[in-house]
Amino acid sequence: MEKSLIRENLERVRNRVALACRRGGRKPEEVRLIAVTKGVSPPQIKEAVDAGISELGENRLQEAEGKIGVFKDRPVNWHFIGRIQRNKVKKMVNYFHWIHSLDSLQLAEAVDRHAELLGKSMPVLLQLNLTGKETQGGIKEEELFDLIERMNQLSHLDLRGLMVIGPLTSDQSKIRKVFKRLREIKELVNREMPAVGLSELSMGMSNDYEIAIEEGATMIRLGRAIFGERSY
Ligand SMILES: *Cc1c(COP(=O)(O)O)cnc(C)c1O
């Protein structure tokens, strides 16, 4: 049987991940590959899952709902990576296994409340905005410590790490600077607040995941590199 494009893409991605790990002195099993399925149809997602993908990412709840239903009997974890809408927190907490894009105390409290109602503890990452682009979401670096302190009071949130979207530029040194900064911030939090113990760094997309891995990413979020170009 001819190998599908998605399998070929995945093979290429895995090779590049391995090489980036070697350059960064990392182990490939330290890097979780999240296949971002926005704009991707269930049959295509199935190809990726059949090829060994177990982590799936979506940035719109409405689009994700149907897909999560389709794969409910497969051993996959869904990661919410988009802007969070207050009125959709309940569904998000119910359907998703991870939230990467938490960026306010109000949302943290809403997630905590719904997690409590569902009797679960929700693994979350705080999204930082290190590029100054408002549309990307994320909190400012100055807000981080205060927010973490307040989140510590919320017993159904499990804060695991930080997330960032790299700058949209072809200047590799600018991209690297942002990823390096996120790792430094994580180390700073762990030094100043040892009880928090952040372990995850969600950073790196199709254009910049190799740099992210070299700088310490533990989760990379890839759409186009796996599924090809999408319509939006
Ligand atoms: C779409 C999206 C991705 C994947 O982007 P690609 O360039 O297709 O790899 C990763 N992270 C977030 C937050 C996204 O919205």
Short mmCIF file of all heavy atoms in Angstrom, two decimals, residues 36 38 59 81-82 127 163 165 204-207 221-225 228 230, ligand 1:
data_model
loop_
_atom_site.label_atom_id
_atom_site.label_comp_id
_atom_site.label_asym_id
_atom_site.label_seq_id
_atom_site.Cartn_x
_atom_site.Cartn_y
_atom_site.Cartn_z
N VAL A 36 -2.31 19.33 15.82
CA VAL A 36 -3.38 20.34 15.86
C VAL A 36 -4.33 20.11 14.70
O VAL A 36 -3.93 20.14 13.53
CB VAL A 36 -2.77 21.76 15.82
CG1 VAL A 36 -3.88 22.81 15.76
CG2 VAL A 36 -1.88 21.99 17.04
N LYS A 38 -7.30 21.66 13.85
CA LYS A 38 -8.25 22.68 13.36
C LYS A 38 -8.27 22.64 11.83
O LYS A 38 -7.23 22.51 11.19
CB LYS A 38 -7.89 24.06 13.86
CG LYS A 38 -6.56 24.59 13.39
CD LYS A 38 -6.24 25.90 14.12
CE LYS A 38 -4.95 26.49 13.62
NZ LYS A 38 -4.29 27.34 14.60
N ASN A 59 -8.36 24.62 18.74
CA ASN A 59 -8.43 25.96 19.31
C ASN A 59 -9.84 26.53 19.30
O ASN A 59 -10.04 27.65 19.75
CB ASN A 59 -7.46 26.91 18.61
CG ASN A 59 -7.87 27.19 17.20
OD1 ASN A 59 -8.60 26.40 16.59
ND2 ASN A 59 -7.42 28.30 16.65
N ILE A 81 -6.09 24.75 22.94
CA ILE A 81 -4.97 25.66 22.73
C ILE A 81 -5.38 27.06 22.27
O ILE A 81 -4.54 27.87 21.93
CB ILE A 81 -3.97 25.07 21.70
CG1 ILE A 81 -4.65 24.85 20.35
CG2 ILE A 81 -3.38 23.74 22.20
CD1 ILE A 81 -3.68 24.45 19.24
N GLY A 82 -6.72 27.34 22.26
CA GLY A 82 -7.17 28.62 21.70
C GLY A 82 -7.64 29.61 22.74
O GLY A 82 -7.52 29.39 23.95
N GLN A 127 -0.75 30.72 29.67
CA GLN A 127 -0.18 31.28 28.44
C GLN A 127 0.42 32.65 28.70
O GLN A 127 -0.22 33.53 29.25
CB GLN A 127 -1.26 31.39 27.35
CG GLN A 127 -0.68 31.91 26.04
CD GLN A 127 -1.72 32.03 24.94
OE1 GLN A 127 -2.86 31.56 25.06
NE2 GLN A 127 -1.34 32.66 23.84
N MET A 163 2.86 28.23 28.46
CA MET A 163 2.69 28.13 27.00
C MET A 163 2.97 29.48 26.36
O MET A 163 2.72 30.52 26.99
CB MET A 163 1.25 27.70 26.72
CG MET A 163 0.91 27.49 25.25
SD MET A 163 0.24 28.94 24.42
CE MET A 163 -1.09 28.21 23.46
N ILE A 165 3.14 31.51 22.24
CA ILE A 165 3.14 31.48 20.78
C ILE A 165 4.31 32.35 20.33
O ILE A 165 4.43 33.49 20.74
CB ILE A 165 1.80 32.03 20.21
CG1 ILE A 165 0.65 31.12 20.65
CG2 ILE A 165 1.87 32.13 18.69
CD1 ILE A 165 -0.74 31.63 20.24
N GLY A 204 6.35 26.05 20.21
CA GLY A 204 6.79 25.50 18.93
C GLY A 204 5.61 25.07 18.09
O GLY A 204 4.77 24.28 18.54
N MET A 205 5.52 25.62 16.87
CA MET A 205 4.50 25.27 15.90
C MET A 205 5.23 24.82 14.63
O MET A 205 6.45 24.65 14.65
CB MET A 205 3.58 26.48 15.65
CG MET A 205 2.98 26.94 16.96
SD MET A 205 2.01 28.49 17.04
CE MET A 205 1.21 28.67 15.51
N SER A 206 4.49 24.61 13.53
CA SER A 206 5.12 24.05 12.33
C SER A 206 6.37 24.81 11.88
O SER A 206 7.33 24.22 11.41
CB SER A 206 4.11 24.00 11.18
OG SER A 206 3.10 23.06 11.49
N ASN A 207 6.34 26.14 12.03
CA ASN A 207 7.45 26.94 11.52
C ASN A 207 8.67 26.99 12.44
O ASN A 207 9.75 27.37 12.00
CB ASN A 207 7.00 28.40 11.31
CG ASN A 207 6.16 28.53 10.08
OD1 ASN A 207 6.29 27.73 9.15
ND2 ASN A 207 5.29 29.52 10.08
N ARG A 221 3.18 21.96 19.20
CA ARG A 221 1.81 21.95 18.65
C ARG A 221 1.88 22.11 17.14
O ARG A 221 2.09 23.21 16.64
CB ARG A 221 1.01 23.11 19.28
CG ARG A 221 1.11 23.22 20.81
CD ARG A 221 0.33 24.42 21.32
NE ARG A 221 0.72 25.67 20.67
CZ ARG A 221 1.65 26.51 21.12
NH1 ARG A 221 2.27 26.27 22.27
NH2 ARG A 221 1.95 27.60 20.46
N LEU A 222 1.71 21.01 16.42
CA LEU A 222 1.90 21.06 14.97
C LEU A 222 0.63 20.77 14.19
O LEU A 222 0.00 19.72 14.37
CB LEU A 222 2.97 20.04 14.54
CG LEU A 222 4.33 20.10 15.22
CD1 LEU A 222 5.31 19.17 14.51
CD2 LEU A 222 4.90 21.51 15.22
N GLY A 223 0.28 21.71 13.32
CA GLY A 223 -0.86 21.51 12.42
C GLY A 223 -0.36 21.23 11.01
O GLY A 223 -0.32 20.09 10.54
N ARG A 224 0.08 22.27 10.32
CA ARG A 224 0.45 22.16 8.90
C ARG A 224 1.57 21.17 8.63
O ARG A 224 1.59 20.52 7.58
CB ARG A 224 0.81 23.54 8.35
CG ARG A 224 -0.41 24.47 8.24
CD ARG A 224 0.02 25.89 8.01
NE ARG A 224 0.84 26.37 9.10
CZ ARG A 224 1.91 27.12 8.96
NH1 ARG A 224 2.29 27.52 7.78
NH2 ARG A 224 2.60 27.49 10.02
N ALA A 225 2.52 21.04 9.54
CA ALA A 225 3.64 20.12 9.31
C ALA A 225 3.15 18.68 9.22
O ALA A 225 3.81 17.82 8.62
CB ALA A 225 4.68 20.25 10.42
N GLY A 228 -0.65 19.31 6.35
CA GLY A 228 -0.57 20.16 5.16
C GLY A 228 -1.26 21.51 5.39
O GLY A 228 -1.83 21.75 6.45
N ARG A 230 -3.85 24.53 5.51
CA ARG A 230 -5.31 24.52 5.72
C ARG A 230 -5.90 25.82 5.16
O ARG A 230 -5.18 26.76 4.87
CB ARG A 230 -5.64 24.34 7.20
CG ARG A 230 -5.07 25.40 8.08
CD ARG A 230 -5.36 25.25 9.55
NE ARG A 230 -4.52 26.21 10.25
CZ ARG A 230 -3.36 25.90 10.83
NH1 ARG A 230 -2.93 24.66 10.83
NH2 ARG A 230 -2.63 26.83 11.39
C1 LIG B 1 -3.05 26.61 14.79
C2 LIG B 1 -2.23 26.58 16.00
C3 LIG B 1 -1.07 25.78 16.06
C4 LIG B 1 -0.56 24.97 14.89
O1 LIG B 1 -0.10 25.84 13.88
P1 LIG B 1 0.70 25.27 12.62
O2 LIG B 1 1.39 26.46 12.10
O3 LIG B 1 -0.32 24.72 11.68
O4 LIG B 1 1.61 24.23 13.12
C5 LIG B 1 -0.35 25.77 17.24
N1 LIG B 1 -0.73 26.50 18.31
C6 LIG B 1 -1.84 27.27 18.29
C7 LIG B 1 -2.19 28.05 19.50
C8 LIG B 1 -2.61 27.34 17.13
O5 LIG B 1 -3.70 28.12 17.12
#
